[in-house]
Amino acid sequence: MVTNVSSFGRSGLFDWVVQRVSAVILASYTLCILSTLLLNPDMTYPEWQLVFDSFSMRFFTLLTLLAILAHGWIGMWTISTDYLTTRMMGGKGTVLRIGFQLLCIGLTLLYLVWGIDILWGN
Amino acid sequence: MFLFNFGANVKDNRPVNLDFTTFKLPLPAITSILHRISGAILFFGIAGLLYLLDTSLGSPEGFASVTEWLGNPIVKLVIWAGVAALLYHLIAGVKHLIMDLGIGETLSGGVLGAKIVIVLAVLSIVVAGIWIW
């Protein structure tokens, strides 16, 4: 197997599996939240708080944040290695790509920590 | 974005055509690029969703302001755009999972799958718009 530093030592098959498992988690959470909002159009603050007070919802939300971390990273990595290249962008391609990838890693870690803070910080 | 620099940084002389203006994109290619674009929108849009969740759960006042924002027509438009990206990405993603099961992998199956994705996405986005307004 060919690996180099810019592939971060991962394999395509591993990414393929992670992308699909995380997709199922994200789809389930999306349907869960959308149906909660659809079925309760006039929700009050105590009701809304109660939704995120349960352990199961906190667990599901944390699982979703982890799925976003994996799924978002694989997706943004794919986009960046397709378009932010020296072939597409000229000499700055590599700098642009690495910069963009670092931004994505930073942002997705921020999402995770922020989410944990929202769920357990109060 | 699509400015190409041929030759200067290419290590070999293989002919490569990446000039998208000369491509004729078939429907499955259009649904594929939309899947990427919607995914990128969602990735950055999550910041907004977390901000709304943080504010609405933080205090009764925060919940009241989020409810007030959601009544604003411009906010409604942004939410609709985000929900549209979410619904499209979800539907196109489910098509991917179905194709992973070996269904619709032929050329004609791929075109049919792309058509179904477009129809379902447009329908669900219209319904979402009605729900938001």
Side-chain angles (χ1 to χ4, degrees), chain A residues 63-113:
Chain A
L63 194 67
T64 297
L65 285 164
L66 290 169
I68 288 169
L69 189 123
H71 196 93
W73 166 247
I74 293 170
M76 300 315 270
W77 180 88
T78 306
I79 288 175
S80 68
T81 53
D82 275 351
Y83 306 122
L84 302 178
T85 61
T86 49
R87 197 194 284 285
M88 298 284 259
M89 295 288 163
K92 292 192 180 72
T94 305
V95 174
L96 274 173
R97 185 174 68 255
I98 301 293
F100 180 78
Q101 290 176 348
L102 289 175
L103 172 81
C104 290
I105 294 173
L107 200 56
T108 192
L109 284 173
L110 175 79
Y111 290 162
L112 180 65
V113 176

Side-chain angles (χ1 to χ4, degrees), chain B residues 19-131:
Chain B
D19 182 2
F20 287 167
T21 59
T22 66
F23 284 5
K24 189 179 178 295
L25 288 178
L27 196 62
I30 295 169
T31 58
S32 172
I33 195 75
L34 284 174
H35 198 191
R36 286 191 163 193
I37 293 169
S38 59
I41 292 170
L42 291 173
F43 182 77
F44 293 106
I46 286 160
L49 285 181
L50 279 173
Y51 180 72
L52 288 179
L53 185 66
D54 195 2
T55 312
S56 65
L57 282 177
S59 64
E61 293 77 23
F63 185 84
S65 20
V66 170
T67 316
E68 198 189 313
W69 295 337
L70 295 178
N72 182 304
I74 295 162
V75 176
K76 277 179 188 257
L77 206 63
V78 174
I79 294 285
W80 190 33
V83 170
L86 179 64
L87 289 171
Y88 181 83
H89 200 82
L90 177 66
I91 291 165
V94 169
K95 192 210 73 169
H96 256 297
L97 295 178
I98 292 171
M99 287 183 90
D100 288 339
L101 299 174
I103 299 165
E105 283 180 324
T106 59
L107 182 59
S108 58
V111 174
L112 179 65
K115 282 179 183 163
I116 294 171
V117 165
I118 294 284
V119 170
L120 288 181
V122 168
L123 282 178
S124 63
I125 290 166
V126 168
V127 170
I130 294 168
W131 174 52

